[in-house]
Coordinates of all heavy atoms in Angstrom, one line a residue:
S101 N 4.5 12.7 -18.7 CA 5.6 12.0 -18.0 C 5.6 12.3 -16.5 O 5.9 11.5 -15.7 CB 6.9 12.5 -18.6 OG 7.0 12.1 -20.0
N102 N 5.2 13.5 -16.1 CA 5.0 13.9 -14.7 C 4.0 13.0 -14.1 O 4.1 12.6 -13.0 CB 4.7 15.4 -14.7 CG 4.7 15.9 -13.3 OD1 4.8 15.2 -12.3 ND2 4.6 17.2 -13.2
A103 N 2.9 12.8 -14.8 CA 1.8 12.0 -14.3 C 2.3 10.6 -14.1 O 1.9 9.9 -13.1 CB 0.6 12.0 -15.2
V104 N 3.1 10.1 -15.0 CA 3.7 8.7 -14.9 C 4.5 8.6 -13.6 O 4.3 7.7 -12.8 CB 4.5 8.4 -16.1 CG1 5.4 7.2 -15.9 CG2 3.7 8.2 -17.4
Q105 N 5.4 9.6 -13.4 CA 6.2 9.6 -12.2 C 5.4 9.6 -10.9 O 5.7 8.9 -10.0 CB 7.2 10.7 -12.3 CG 8.2 10.6 -13.4 CD 8.9 11.9 -13.8 OE1 8.6 12.9 -13.2 NE2 9.8 11.8 -14.7
T106 N 4.4 10.5 -10.9 CA 3.5 10.6 -9.8 C 2.8 9.3 -9.5 O 2.8 8.8 -8.4 CB 2.5 11.7 -10.0 OG1 3.2 13.0 -10.2 CG2 1.6 11.9 -8.8
L107 N 2.2 8.7 -10.5 CA 1.5 7.5 -10.4 C 2.4 6.4 -9.9 O 2.0 5.6 -9.0 CB 0.8 7.1 -11.7 CG -0.1 5.9 -11.7 CD1 -1.3 6.2 -10.7 CD2 -0.7 5.7 -13.1
A108 N 3.6 6.3 -10.4 CA 4.5 5.2 -10.0 C 4.9 5.4 -8.5 O 5.1 4.4 -7.8 CB 5.8 5.3 -10.9
R109 N 5.0 6.7 -8.1 CA 5.5 6.9 -6.7 C 4.4 6.6 -5.7 O 4.7 6.1 -4.6 CB 5.9 8.4 -6.6 CG 6.4 8.8 -5.2 CD 7.0 10.2 -5.3 NE 6.1 11.3 -5.6 CZ 5.3 11.9 -4.8 NH1 5.3 11.6 -3.5 NH2 4.6 12.9 -5.2
I110 N 3.1 6.9 -6.0 CA 2.1 6.7 -5.0 C 1.0 5.7 -5.3 O 0.2 5.3 -4.4 CB 1.3 8.1 -4.8 CG1 0.6 8.5 -6.1 CG2 2.2 9.2 -4.3 CD1 -0.4 9.6 -5.9
G111 N 1.1 5.0 -6.4 CA 0.0 4.2 -6.8 C 0.1 2.7 -6.5 O -0.9 2.0 -6.6
G112 N 1.2 2.3 -6.1 CA 1.4 0.9 -5.7 C 1.3 -0.1 -6.9 O 1.6 0.3 -8.0
E113 N 0.9 -1.3 -6.5 CA 0.9 -2.4 -7.6 C -0.2 -2.1 -8.6 O 0.0 -2.5 -9.8 CB 0.7 -3.8 -6.9 CG 1.9 -4.3 -6.2 CD 3.1 -4.4 -7.2 OE1 3.0 -4.9 -8.3 OE2 4.2 -3.9 -6.8
S114 N -1.3 -1.5 -8.3 CA -2.3 -1.3 -9.3 C -1.8 -0.2 -10.3 O -2.1 -0.3 -11.5 CB -3.6 -0.8 -8.7 OG -3.5 0.4 -8.0
A115 N -1.0 0.7 -9.8 CA -0.4 1.7 -10.7 C 0.6 1.0 -11.7 O 0.7 1.3 -12.9 CB 0.3 2.8 -9.9
R116 N 1.4 0.0 -11.2 CA 2.3 -0.7 -12.1 C 1.5 -1.4 -13.2 O 1.9 -1.4 -14.3 CB 3.1 -1.7 -11.3 CG 4.1 -1.1 -10.4 CD 5.0 -2.1 -9.7 NE 5.8 -2.9 -10.6 CZ 6.9 -2.4 -11.3 NH1 7.4 -1.2 -11.0 NH2 7.6 -3.2 -12.1
A117 N 0.4 -2.0 -12.8 CA -0.5 -2.6 -13.8 C -1.0 -1.6 -14.8 O -1.0 -1.9 -16.1 CB -1.6 -3.4 -13.2
T118 N -1.4 -0.5 -14.4 CA -1.9 0.6 -15.2 C -0.8 1.1 -16.2 O -1.1 1.2 -17.4 CB -2.5 1.8 -14.4 OG1 -3.6 1.3 -13.6 CG2 -2.9 2.9 -15.3
L119 N 0.4 1.3 -15.6 CA 1.5 1.8 -16.5 C 1.9 0.7 -17.5 O 2.2 1.0 -18.6 CB 2.7 2.2 -15.6 CG 2.4 3.4 -14.8 CD1 3.6 3.6 -13.7 CD2 2.3 4.6 -15.7
T120 N 1.9 -0.6 -17.1 CA 2.3 -1.6 -18.0 C 1.3 -1.7 -19.2 O 1.7 -1.8 -20.3 CB 2.3 -3.0 -17.2 OG1 3.3 -2.9 -16.2 CG2 2.6 -4.1 -18.2
A121 N 0.0 -1.6 -18.9 CA -1.0 -1.6 -19.9 C -0.8 -0.3 -20.8 O -0.9 -0.4 -22.1 CB -2.4 -1.6 -19.3
A122 N -0.6 0.8 -20.2 CA -0.5 2.0 -21.0 C 0.8 2.0 -21.9 O 0.8 2.6 -23.0 CB -0.4 3.3 -20.1
L123 N 1.8 1.4 -21.4 CA 3.1 1.3 -22.1 C 2.9 0.6 -23.5 O 3.5 0.9 -24.5 CB 4.2 0.6 -21.3 CG 5.5 0.4 -22.0 CD1 6.2 1.8 -22.3 CD2 6.4 -0.4 -21.0
S124 N 2.0 -0.4 -23.5 CA 1.8 -1.2 -24.7 C 1.2 -0.4 -25.9 O 1.3 -0.7 -27.0 CB 1.0 -2.4 -24.4 OG -0.3 -2.1 -24.1
T125 N 0.5 0.8 -25.5 CA -0.1 1.6 -26.6 C 0.5 3.0 -26.7 O 0.2 3.7 -27.6 CB -1.6 1.7 -26.3 OG1 -1.8 2.4 -25.0 CG2 -2.3 0.4 -26.3
E126 N 1.4 3.3 -25.8 CA 2.0 4.7 -25.8 C 2.9 4.8 -27.0 O 3.7 3.9 -27.3 CB 2.8 4.9 -24.5 CG 3.4 6.3 -24.4 CD 2.4 7.4 -24.6 OE1 1.5 7.5 -23.8 OE2 2.6 8.2 -25.5
T127 N 2.9 5.9 -27.7 CA 3.7 6.2 -28.9 C 4.7 7.3 -28.7 O 5.7 7.4 -29.5 CB 2.8 6.5 -30.1 OG1 2.1 7.7 -29.9 CG2 1.9 5.3 -30.5
R128 N 4.5 8.1 -27.7 CA 5.4 9.3 -27.5 C 6.7 8.8 -26.8 O 6.6 8.2 -25.7 CB 4.7 10.4 -26.7 CG 3.5 10.9 -27.4 CD 2.6 11.7 -26.6 NE 2.1 10.9 -25.5 CZ 1.3 11.4 -24.5 NH1 1.1 12.7 -24.5 NH2 0.8 10.6 -23.6
V129 N 7.8 9.1 -27.4 CA 9.1 8.7 -26.9 C 9.4 9.1 -25.4 O 9.8 8.3 -24.6 CB 10.3 9.2 -27.8 CG1 11.6 8.8 -27.2 CG2 10.1 8.6 -29.2
T130 N 9.1 10.3 -25.1 CA 9.3 10.9 -23.8 C 8.5 10.1 -22.7 O 9.0 9.8 -21.6 CB 9.0 12.4 -23.7 OG1 9.7 13.0 -24.7 CG2 9.3 13.0 -22.4
V131 N 7.2 9.9 -23.0 CA 6.3 9.2 -22.1 C 6.7 7.8 -22.0 O 6.7 7.2 -20.9 CB 4.8 9.4 -22.5 CG1 3.9 8.8 -21.5 CG2 4.5 10.9 -22.7
K132 N 7.0 7.1 -23.1 CA 7.4 5.7 -23.0 C 8.7 5.6 -22.1 O 8.8 4.6 -21.3 CB 7.7 5.2 -24.4 CG 6.6 4.7 -25.2 CD 7.0 4.2 -26.5 CE 6.7 2.7 -26.4 NZ 6.6 2.0 -27.7
A133 N 9.6 6.5 -22.3 CA 10.8 6.4 -21.4 C 10.5 6.6 -20.0 O 11.0 5.9 -19.1 CB 11.8 7.5 -21.9
A134 N 9.6 7.5 -19.7 CA 9.1 7.7 -18.3 C 8.5 6.4 -17.7 O 8.7 6.0 -16.6 CB 8.2 8.9 -18.1
M135 N 7.7 5.8 -18.6 CA 7.0 4.5 -18.1 C 8.0 3.4 -17.9 O 7.9 2.7 -16.9 CB 6.0 4.1 -19.2 CG 4.8 5.0 -19.2 SD 3.6 4.5 -20.5 CE 2.2 5.6 -20.2
R136 N 8.9 3.3 -18.8 CA 9.9 2.2 -18.7 C 10.8 2.5 -17.4 O 11.1 1.5 -16.7 CB 10.8 2.2 -19.9 CG 10.2 1.6 -21.1 CD 11.1 1.3 -22.2 NE 10.4 0.8 -23.4 CZ 10.3 1.3 -24.5 NH1 10.9 2.5 -24.8 NH2 9.7 0.7 -25.5
Q137 N 11.1 3.7 -17.1 CA 11.9 4.0 -15.9 C 11.1 3.7 -14.7 O 11.6 3.2 -13.7 CB 12.3 5.5 -15.9 CG 13.1 5.9 -14.7 CD 13.6 7.3 -14.8 OE1 13.2 8.1 -15.7 NE2 14.4 7.7 -13.8
A138 N 9.8 4.1 -14.7 CA 8.9 3.8 -13.6 C 8.7 2.4 -13.3 O 8.6 1.9 -12.1 CB 7.6 4.5 -13.8
L139 N 8.7 1.6 -14.3 CA 8.5 0.1 -14.2 C 9.8 -0.7 -14.0 O 9.7 -1.9 -13.7 CB 7.8 -0.4 -15.4 CG 6.3 0.1 -15.6 CD1 5.8 -0.2 -17.0 CD2 5.5 -0.5 -14.5
A140 N 10.9 0.0 -14.1 CA 12.2 -0.7 -14.0 C 12.4 -1.3 -12.6 O 11.9 -0.6 -11.6 CB 13.4 0.2 -14.3
P141 N 13.0 -2.4 -12.4 CA 13.2 -3.0 -11.1 C 14.1 -2.0 -10.2 O 15.0 -1.4 -10.8 CB 13.9 -4.3 -11.3 CG 13.7 -4.6 -12.7 CD 13.5 -3.3 -13.4
R142 N 13.8 -1.9 -9.0 CA 14.6 -1.0 -8.1 C 15.6 -1.9 -7.4 O 15.4 -3.0 -7.0 CB 13.7 -0.4 -7.0 CG 12.5 0.3 -7.5 CD 12.8 1.7 -7.8 NE 11.7 2.5 -8.3 CZ 11.6 3.2 -9.3 NH1 12.7 3.4 -10.1 NH2 10.6 3.9 -9.7

């Protein structure tokens, strides 16, 4: 989840694409929540 937050903060649009792809296969609740939060519109 820390890695998700870091990637979202510094990775730009390519990170958003990476997180979107990873979200589709992620099964851990905590990590999924971090991904959803990172991808939520600001």
Side-chain angles (χ1 to χ4, degrees):
S101 296
N102 189 349
V104 167
Q105 294 162 356
T106 300
L107 188 58
R109 183 170 61 87
I110 64 170
E113 286 303 312
S114 64
R116 289 185 65 76
T118 299
L119 290 171
T120 299
L123 179 61
S124 68
T125 59
E126 182 58 59
T127 59
R128 298 167 295 175
V129 173
T130 305
V131 181
K132 278 183 110 156
M135 289 177 173
R136 286 189 181 117
Q137 181 179 4
L139 293 169
R142 306 274 184 228

